[in-house]
Amino acid sequence: MSESKDFLRTIVEADLKSGKYKKIITRFPPEPNGFPHIGHAKSIFINFGIARDYNGHCNLRMDDTNPTKEDTKYVEALKDAVQWLGFEWKDNLYFTSDYFPKIYDYAITLIKMGKAYVDSLTEEEIREYRGTVKEAGKRSIYANRSVEENLYLLERMKKGEFKDGEHVLRAKIDMSAANMKMRDPLLYRIRHANHFRSADEWCIYPMYDFAHCLSDYIEGVSHSICTLEFENNRDIYNWVLDTLELKPPRPYQHEFARLGINYTVMSKRKLIELVEGGQVKGWDDPRMPTIAGYRRRGYTPSSILNFCEQIGIAKANSMVDVAQLEFCIRDDLNKKVPRVLCVLDPLKVSITNYEGFEEIDAPYYPHDVPKEGSRKIPFSKEIYIERDDFMENPPKGYFRLTPTQPVRLRHGFIISCKEIIKDENGKIIEIKAEYYPDSKSGSDTSGIKVKSAIQWVCAKEAKTVEVRLYDRLFKVEAPEGIEDINPNSLQIIKNALIEPAVINQKPDERFQFERQGYFYADPIDYTDETPVFNKIVGLKDSWGKKTKEDESPAKPKAQTKQVQVVGEVEPMNEEQKKFFNKYTEELGLNSEVANILAHDERLCCFYEESLTILDISVNPIALANIVVNEVARELKEKQVEELKFSAKQIVELVKMLEDETISNKIAKEVFEKMLKTGESPKQIVEASGLVQISDPSIILPIIDEVITQNPDNVIKFKAGNTKLLGFFVGQVLKKTAGKANPKIVNELVATKLK
Ligand code: ATP
Ligand code: MG
């Protein structure tokens, strides 16, 4: 169990201590209407994890109350995902549909208590009668039906005597409740549809709010853990269980923050669109954020569990950087998988002074010497290297093979270029080179200095393989859907060359192709004739640093470093590890940020200094983010003494951000000014009136103005194009020059347009 307890485990422990429950029973209750995604992994990790930690059990419950969208294939996918992540439900696999008879009986009880009625308003009328946040709703005239009439109608609904939508069963609670969900919520609706398990036995189906709490109760669940968007449903949950006066103990609902990841869509509805629209090749396409997708791509269960552990459990929604998930898989594989040589874009090299054939012994785990395992790499006169590991006219700082610069063949000899052969179009098709017989790796007495070692394969012995390079499926941070797809998310290389041991000895399924990244033998398409490898992840985060080494030859210092780290995450020394642990464990930084800080001495000092002046109102995570982004950018070019701002001022800036005096956007502006003038952020904000506007009485008139100016969009929005919400919010922010608090604007616009 992790050392620091999260708020859910704190609750569970208190409930055990007080004797409220003897046994902890949780449940993971997906609707089988799609493949589970990484958000579900978080929920699985929490529910099964808590049950395991407190010697209880977790039920796997298919929440199958919507016959039109559900299917057995999704049930199987859910079971697979839970198992693959390493959890067991043992005998506890349940289906809400199995409880339909019991749930129906509870509905009858409520009617008899005068707490439920059959309503015959149309869907539209029901919506109208519900009122708004500001106005109370009004109760349906049908709410006065007698108990007998209600029982009679419900019975007939069940028998299939009415059409879809003709009647519904509603709880009689309070049409003026502040919580809109409590305004006589629907308990049952008519659906003439075939259910994948109960077939045509039922034509009325219980609503989530009625079925869920009762299913929890029926199963003896103690802690019903769900995501934050169900916060308002908690009142109904309690109302149903309390009103029915069920025998204790009864379950209680607790909410945690849903996982969101940037560059990723994460609702089954959107994922179905991708699958059905053919944007990806099925639910297990390696670009999909589904468990099946990660699995096919080559992610390990432990990397996903580590990720869930790292992001923790919070009560406020936030967006996690996809780089953190990538870090977790890289971190896992870095320690485990063999390193081999593969050339993706081969360029022929003939070694003119070599005759014959030899095999070079090379370890699979050169970074981890005690770990045994090696193979023979064949070497002969003709080899292939990576096309971009040779440059005829290299920029400064290019460390690989050039007409005047020798290079080492990884695990092998040093070679130098003697002649370049081109085709009629001027394209280089071959290099004639010479090798140095006394330069063999491990016994090099040649005295020749090289700046890097490159991958290569022996022409005669190499195997042709297909390599699938995956990039992020979406090109924007907060993708909406298909329109944001990255057109280059898949690149297929048909003729990559790999050293023969990978195919003949199959030392593993996952590999590091040195200098390229981590790869996985595709579990479905791999055959002996055509071996296929999926790229799992690159060697380091390259997103956002799209410019390649070769295109920006400046800064030789950074280059040296790049050569050193090629192939591995730089190991940390003891001191750095101490900082890393402190940041992740005590301060809750994500490992990517902690990693940057721990590795960079100057950033680390700066962060440490600011921590000493921190008071409890300031969040160390927000502070760390500014340090690794904004401050780091400055420190690339300057020394600490040259900075115009101090650690104290950065803390001040974070404080204003945290108490919402200023918005993120303004914080950036303030920071820019701090760089130039050295003034304190307080001074800057006060002098330029940059304070964030949160007062609705200032914001509302601006919203009105935007609404009047865009009548067409208002009509579209009301007709259901809810994406336009962003448009309206954007317009309002623009009119306030980014000073309005976006969260408040969002809420106000949403209410206005309702
Ligand atoms: P989606 O919107 O993607 O369809 P959902 O919430 O409708 O998701 P369910 O199958 O009903 O999906 O969810 C099963 C469980 O997984 C629920 O308890 C839900 O709260 C949880 N869950 C779903 N998405 C996430 C997420 N992004 N982060 C954490 N938990 C999630
Ligand atoms: Mg859903």
Side-chain angles (χ1 to χ4, degrees), residues 335-339 362-375 507-508:
K335 292 173 250 165
K336 288 185 190 157
V337 304
R339 298 184 179 188
Y364 277 130
Y365 309 96
H367 56 296
D368 187 3
V369 180
K371 199 166 171 183
E372 288 186 15
S374 67
R375 82 288 194 186
D508 207 342

Side-chain angles (χ1 to χ4, degrees), residues 24 63 98 154 197 302 506 589 678 717 722:
I24 299 306
D63 195 14
D98 288 342
L154 182 66
R197 293 188 82 242
S302 54
K506 295 209 172 78
L589 306 191
F717 180 85
T722 47

Side-chain angles (χ1 to χ4, degrees), residues 693 696-709 731-736 740:
I693 307 170
S697 70
I698 303 176
I699 299 175
L700 277 170
I702 305 174
I703 295 181
D704 287 333
E705 198 183 319
V706 171
I707 287 181
T708 348
Q709 285 166 356
Q731 291 292 312
V732 174
L733 291 180
K734 209 160 144 195
K735 280 191 195 276
T736 60

Side-chain angles (χ1 to χ4, degrees), residues 31 33 40 229-230 258 267-269:
E31 187 186 347
N33 61 350
H40 291 107
E229 68 272 22
F230 292 99
R258 195 179 176 82
S267 97
K268 280 178 281 179
R269 188 177 52 76

Side-chain angles (χ1 to χ4, degrees), residues 175-243:
M175 287 305 290
S176 53
N179 178 355
M180 301 266 297
K181 298 240 174 190
M182 291 293 273
R183 297 185 183 176
D184 290 10
L186 270 56
L187 304 180
Y188 264 99
R189 61 180 171 177
I190 302 173
R191 270 287 149 94
H192 289 277
N194 185 276
H195 186 281
F196 75 102
R197 293 188 82 242
S198 62
D200 295 322
E201 194 182 333
W202 292 86
C203 60
I204 56 172
Y205 289 90
M207 304 298 290
Y208 170 87
D209 283 320
F210 193 46
H212 201 83
C213 51
L214 288 170
S215 306
D216 283 347
Y217 179 75
I218 292 166
E219 290 174 13
V221 165
S222 58
H223 296 81
S224 180
I225 299 167
C226 63
T227 34
L228 272 179
E229 68 272 22
F230 292 99
E231 207 168 0
N232 288 338
N233 302 61
R234 197 199 313 137
D235 287 343
I236 312 179
Y237 190 100
N238 290 333
W239 183 90
V240 171
L241 298 184
D242 289 343
T243 306

Side-chain angles (χ1 to χ4, degrees), residues 153-373:
L153 283 172
L154 182 66
E155 170 88 25
R156 291 182 57 201
M157 281 166 65
K158 176 172 178 257
K159 281 190 181 148
E161 294 181 20
F162 304 111
K163 291 201 286 292
D164 284 10
E166 240 179 296
H167 306 284
V168 290
L169 183 73
R170 298 180 75 169
K172 201 173 206 170
I173 306 182
D174 179 1
M175 287 305 290
S176 53
N179 178 355
M180 301 266 297
K181 298 240 174 190
M182 291 293 273
R183 297 185 183 176
D184 290 10
L186 270 56
L187 304 180
Y188 264 99
R189 61 180 171 177
I190 302 173
R191 270 287 149 94
H192 289 277
N194 185 276
H195 186 281
F196 75 102
R197 293 188 82 242
S198 62
D200 295 322
E201 194 182 333
W202 292 86
C203 60
I204 56 172
Y205 289 90
M207 304 298 290
Y208 170 87
D209 283 320
F210 193 46
H212 201 83
C213 51
L214 288 170
S215 306
D216 283 347
Y217 179 75
I218 292 166
E219 290 174 13
V221 165
S222 58
H223 296 81
S224 180
I225 299 167
C226 63
T227 34
L228 272 179
E229 68 272 22
F230 292 99
E231 207 168 0
N232 288 338
N233 302 61
R234 197 199 313 137
D235 287 343
I236 312 179
Y237 190 100
N238 290 333
W239 183 90
V240 171
L241 298 184
D242 289 343
T243 306
L244 285 166
E245 293 171 5
L246 300 168
K247 216 171 81 218
R250 50 154 282 203
Y252 282 86
Q253 176 183 310
H254 308 275
E255 308 91 20
F256 69 95
R258 195 179 176 82
L259 169 64
I261 302 186
N262 61 5
Y263 297 100
T264 310
V265 297
M266 214 171 340
S267 97
K268 280 178 281 179
R269 188 177 52 76
K270 288 188 176 163
L271 296 176
I272 285 181
E273 272 175 29
L274 297 173
V275 173
E276 291 183 346
Q279 316 293 330
V280 294
K281 300 186 182 75
W283 284 101
D284 68 345
D285 186 300
R287 292 165 293 179
M288 288 282 274
T290 51
I291 312 278
Y294 289 115
R295 182 177 176 179
R296 172 129 185 224
R297 176 132 171 199
Y299 273 67
T300 53
S302 54
S303 65
I304 292 186
L305 297 175
N306 282 345
F307 173 71
C308 292
E309 172 98 47
Q310 278 183 15
I311 55 178
I313 310 176
K315 260 195 151 318
N317 280 323
S318 67
M319 189 64 92
V320 175
D321 193 335
V322 64
Q324 196 175 342
L325 178 59
E326 292 163 355
F327 173 85
C328 287
I329 180 65
R330 203 180 284 128
D331 196 40
D332 192 26
L333 299 180
N334 182 31
K335 292 173 250 165
K336 288 185 190 157
V337 304
R339 298 184 179 188
V340 298
L341 304 181
C342 177
V343 172
L344 298 181
D345 184 7
L347 172 64
K348 187 164 143 188
V349 176
S350 302
I351 302 167
T352 51
N353 62 340
Y354 186 88
E355 289 304 330
F357 176 81
E358 68 191 276
E359 287 187 313
I360 299 169
D361 199 42
Y364 277 130
Y365 309 96
H367 56 296
D368 187 3
V369 180
K371 199 166 171 183
E372 288 186 15

